Amino acid sequence: VFAPSLGGPCYRCLFPAPPAPGSVPTCAEGGVLGVLPGLIGTIQATEAIKLLTGTGTPLTGRMIHVDTRTMQFRELRLRRDPQCSVCGEYPTITAPQDIEFSCILPQESAASVNAAELGKILSAPPAGLCVLDVREPWEHLLTPWAPATLRIPFAELASRRSEIPAGGPLIIVCSIGERSADAVHLFKDHGCASVRHLKNGLRDFLP
């Protein structure tokens, strides 16, 4: 519960700045345990009721850490930052601000094809074409995609680069186009010029 009005810290006391681009994995990369939103959401709703009714002791200045592997709950104390730009002694942010940022690495410089272009390429594939699917195995089970000629999870690309045929054109695909764009940069950094990725990923290609 971030409530400086109740004497606790604000969100910026804990996170003064947004994370650097590329430092936070997507849900597809990091994985999501579906029951967690229900578990944590119930706790959050309870705290909201306490604040609205003025009942009990809210989680002000305290954070609950839940380890579902052992079902252990830990309480962490959070201190208010006297230098905080929002709730500190000399705040520099005094009104809501619209701040645009992205945790995703920019993709503009990555050579790409769209879904329609990839469809044409697959209908008459050039000699030596390799279509590399960098999704995780569980993603293949949920959304099979037969046109891929090679499947290597993104996290294993660096160690398995030798498995990718050399000389021919390479097109990389993933679910939403983020990992495939990063993979393009990875291959270009190692001298592979004829490499592109599916912009926006298979979500644009599949029906």
Side-chain angles (χ1 to χ4, degrees), residues 75-96:
E75 182 180 293
L76 308 177
R77 293 284 180 175
L78 303 180
R79 295 183 178 180
R80 190 171 185 177
D81 181 7
Q83 305 299 321
C84 178
S85 57
V86 174
C87 70
E89 297 177 0
Y90 303 101
T92 57
I93 300 176
T94 58

Side-chain angles (χ1 to χ4, degrees), residues 15 68 129 136 141 163 171 176 184:
F15 300 107
T68 54
L129 173 67
E136 296 294 322
L141 294 175
E163 299 179 27
I171 297 178
I176 59 176
V184 168

Side-chain angles (χ1 to χ4, degrees), residues 134-147:
V134 297
R135 295 179 300 160
E136 296 294 322
W138 63 266
E139 293 178 273
H140 301 155
L141 294 175
L142 290 176
T143 312
W145 193 64

Side-chain angles (χ1 to χ4, degrees), residues 42-56:
T42 299
I43 297 175
Q44 291 177 324
T46 302
E47 289 300 306
I49 292 172
K50 287 160 58 178
L51 288 175
L52 290 170
T53 61
T55 304

